[in-house]
Amino acid sequence: MKKRDFLQASAALVSTALLSPYIFQRSKIMAASNTKFEITKSDQEWQSILTPEQYRVLRKHGTERAFTSPLDKEYGEGTYVCAGCGQPLFTADTKFNSGTGWPSFFNPIEGAIGTTVDRSFFMTRVEVHCNRCGGHLGHVFDDGPAPTGKRYCMNGVSLKFEPA
């Protein structure tokens, strides 16, 4: 092995070892936080009640592709509830079209959500989760409309719409 190849391989290994906690931190936070919620289930139980896509997003912090959720264009009266446990999260009168391809809201129902700092993938964002079961819903940003200035950008697969 040439000295240059050895140095490149060593640098790659060291970089991977040093950066892996930041890249994979999100799943560690979720795994550690499952015990804090009113509703807790084993992975097997969650997989039996959720679709594979719901499980990937709600329990493994996945993200659905933009513009794929029918809830993005749902504007009827009603309530958006957690797809994992049924907790009411957002009312339809707080929904707006953010143009991002995900259902967006400017205000959650009081006490329905929790937030944590998400430092995965070299970014710092505020993750939003259901305060009852801990399911990952999406992220909140400071570029929403008045009166809150917040944009709760949610994965549609994490929600169910219950018409009024």
Side-chain angles (χ1 to χ4, degrees):
M1 180 182 272
K2 294 181 183 177
K3 184 176 180 180
R4 182 185 316 181
D5 293 337
F6 175 76
L7 291 174
Q8 286 176 338
S10 297
L13 286 172
V14 169
S15 296
T16 301
L18 291 175
L19 295 175
S20 64
Y22 299 102
I23 295 170
F24 300 112
Q25 182 176 10
R26 186 184 333 190
S27 60
K28 289 180 186 176
I29 291 170
M30 183 64 179
S33 64
N34 276 343
T35 57
K36 296 189 291 187
F37 301 104
E38 177 186 340
I39 295 178
T40 57
K41 298 180 184 300
S42 69
D43 272 350
Q44 195 171 36
E45 289 173 306
W46 284 119
Q47 287 174 328
S48 72
I49 64 169
L50 300 172
T51 67
E53 181 70 354
Q54 287 173 323
Y55 177 77
R56 186 182 71 77
V57 173
L58 282 164
R59 307 315 308 170
K60 299 297 180 186
H61 293 251
T63 300
E64 71 185 352
R65 283 187 348 210
F67 303 102
T68 60
S69 174
L71 294 183
D72 185 35
K73 300 300 180 195
E74 173 62 60
Y75 289 100
E77 290 184 27
T79 305
Y80 293 84
V81 302
C82 175
C85 71
Q87 168 151 292
L89 302 168
F90 299 94
T91 57
D93 61 340
T94 65
K95 188 169 189 289
F96 69 98
N97 184 1
S98 66
T100 60
W102 290 282
S104 297
F105 305 85
F106 62 81
N107 204 26
I109 293 172
E110 188 172 336
I113 64 154
T115 60
T116 55
V117 175
D118 176 357
R119 289 193 174 96
S120 62
F121 303 108
F122 309 105
M123 295 182 282
T124 300
R125 300 177 293 175
V126 178
E127 177 199 357
V128 176
H129 60 265
C130 173
N131 217 26
R132 189 168 173 220
C133 71
H136 171 73
L137 303 171
H139 292 86
V140 61
F141 303 95
D142 291 326
D143 60 358
T148 64
K150 300 289 184 186
R151 174 174 51 97
Y152 290 84
C153 191
M154 304 292 98
N155 289 288
V157 73
S158 297
L159 308 172
K160 288 184 181 177
F161 179 68
E162 294 182 350

